[in-house]
Amino acid sequence: MDIAFSSTTELAAAIRNRKISAVEALDAHLAQIDSHNDAINAVISLDREGAYERAKKADAALERGEAAGPLHGVPFTLKDTHETAGMKTTVGFPPFADYVAQQDSPVVARLKAAGGVLMAKTNVATMLSDWQSNNPLFGRTSNPRNLERTAGGSSGGAAAAVAGGMTPFDVGTDMQDSIRLPAAFCGVYGLKPTEHRVSLAGAFPNPGDAARSVRLMSCLGPLARGVDDLSLIYRIIAGPDGRDTDLPPVPVETTPKLDLKTLRIAFAPSFPGVPVAGDISVAVENLARQLQSAGAIVEPAKLPRLDLCDDLA
């Protein structure tokens, strides 16, 4: 298997079944970081020594017949916004350049409890406030598929690291496309969950125990190499945690299995009054045909004319 480009679920199964070790999984991803990060600049605040210590402990636990959880031994990175004990959390903002939290955020704690091996943080836009990832502390993240292009923002470092084989998954934040845009630009999978399903506690540095500044619209969600990975990581990080009082006490349900033959799907290859690139229209039409061939009821959507171009003019 190509360890550096395997999915999270594949890596977890391979480690659990003793086909590879946690150290081997870590080695493969660190090798990608060492080879490509200077050009891409996705990974920052690398904790190489700590990651090896955690990976070795994961392997030793398996030797004893113990496994911590569904991510046992799987290496991962985190967007540089999650408060992490013993590691800097800067959000690319000079006043936070040396900020180290006293405890892990709930999301970090849950990923570690599931057996994940944290390697590093990934680059962001300054204070998560731009659609590209560039800041005075760490500079600009490039798109691994074309270094002259942006990886998007503010989770650009996360998306670029996943696409570049530097990590199997990351957890970003999304208020206005900060997960979805970088995922699209870098060709990986990203999920913005329903608001108030994943704890925002410790998701933005609040030195001095200041009141949490972000409460609405922003969501935490995974970036990974496949839909199954998104589902797995979401189930780990979602749900009430006791620290974010905005989260309702509602359990996280298993992702339902959908039967295409029971679905009715509307599609639109373009929007009336709005120009759409020909390649996009063709791709949507091809997908509609594939869904119909698979048994779904597919029909054109009835959309009102937007006249967006006239409004912009």
Side-chain angles (χ1 to χ4, degrees):
M1 61 185 297
D2 186 348
I3 296 176
F5 287 95
S6 294
S7 69
T8 301
T9 51
E10 289 170 339
L11 286 173
I15 293 170
R16 184 171 57 250
N17 295 327
R18 311 290 290 277
K19 293 181 179 180
I20 64 171
S21 68
V23 169
E24 287 175 321
L26 179 61
D27 281 339
H29 289 87
L30 289 178
Q32 286 292 109
I33 292 172
D34 291 340
S35 297
H36 302 292
N37 194 56
D38 283 349
I40 299 171
N41 194 34
V43 174
I44 59 175
S45 303
L46 179 62
D47 183 16
R48 189 185 301 268
E49 183 177 338
Y52 270 117
E53 181 180 350
R54 290 184 282 274
K56 290 175 182 177
K57 287 182 178 179
D59 285 334
L62 281 180
E63 290 284 349
R64 299 191 301 269
E66 302 171 1
L71 296 177
H72 189 94
V74 176
F76 71 99
T77 58
L78 284 172
K79 181 177 181 178
D80 188 29
T81 182
H82 303 276
E83 292 189 330
T84 311
M87 293 181 69
K88 292 181 180 180
T89 305
T90 74
V91 288
F93 187 45
F96 289 168
D98 297 315
Y99 174 65
V100 178
Q102 297 301 307
Q103 63 179 332
D104 290 332
S105 75
V107 163
V108 177
R110 287 183 174 184
L111 292 170
K112 288 182 177 180
V117 174
L118 178 61
M119 297 183 290
K121 297 291 187 69
T122 49
N123 204 27
V124 300
T126 304
M127 289 295 284
L128 318 183
S129 300
D130 199 353
W131 282 307
Q132 61 178 329
S133 295
N134 190 7
N135 64 69
L137 296 178
F138 300 105
R140 174 184 181 271
T141 296
S142 298
N143 194 309
R145 303 185 186 280
N146 183 338
L147 297 178
E148 295 182 359
R149 304 284 185 176
T150 180
S154 62
S155 306
V162 173
M166 303 179 196
T167 183
F169 76 89
D170 202 304
V171 176
T173 60
D174 191 318
M175 180 181 288
Q176 294 178 320
D177 289 340
S178 283
I179 290 173
R180 294 161 291 167
L181 185 75
F185 281 10
C186 294
V188 299
Y189 290 77
L191 172 68
K192 179 181 181 179
T194 300
E195 191 174 359
H196 300 314
R197 291 300 277 146
V198 179
S199 176
L200 287 175
F204 302 87
N206 291 301
D209 294 323
R212 183 152 53 88
S213 57
V214 178
R215 303 190 72 92
L216 300 175
M217 292 180 64
S218 188
C219 301
L220 304 187
L223 296 98
R225 299 202 179 103
V227 173
D228 288 343
D229 291 357
L230 298 183
S231 178
L232 171 64
I233 298 159
Y234 170 72
R235 292 197 306 271
I236 291 170
I237 65 176
D241 69 315
R243 287 179 58 188
D244 187 342
T245 56
D246 293 332
L247 268 66
V250 178
V252 179
E253 298 178 349
T254 302
T255 305
K257 298 294 185 181
L258 298 178
D259 183 354
L260 282 175
K261 295 180 180 180
T262 66
L263 294 182
R264 182 183 178 195
I265 300 170
F267 80 99
S270 64
F271 290 90
V274 180
V276 175
D279 289 347
I280 294 176
S281 295
V282 170
V284 173
E285 290 171 344
N286 287 339
L287 176 59
R289 282 193 292 270
Q290 292 171 11
L291 290 169
Q292 190 170 39
S293 298
I297 299 172
V298 181
E299 55 193 44
K302 297 179 181 179
L303 301 175
R305 182 175 175 83
L306 299 179
D307 293 321
L308 178 62
C309 294
D310 292 340
D311 291 342
L312 291 176

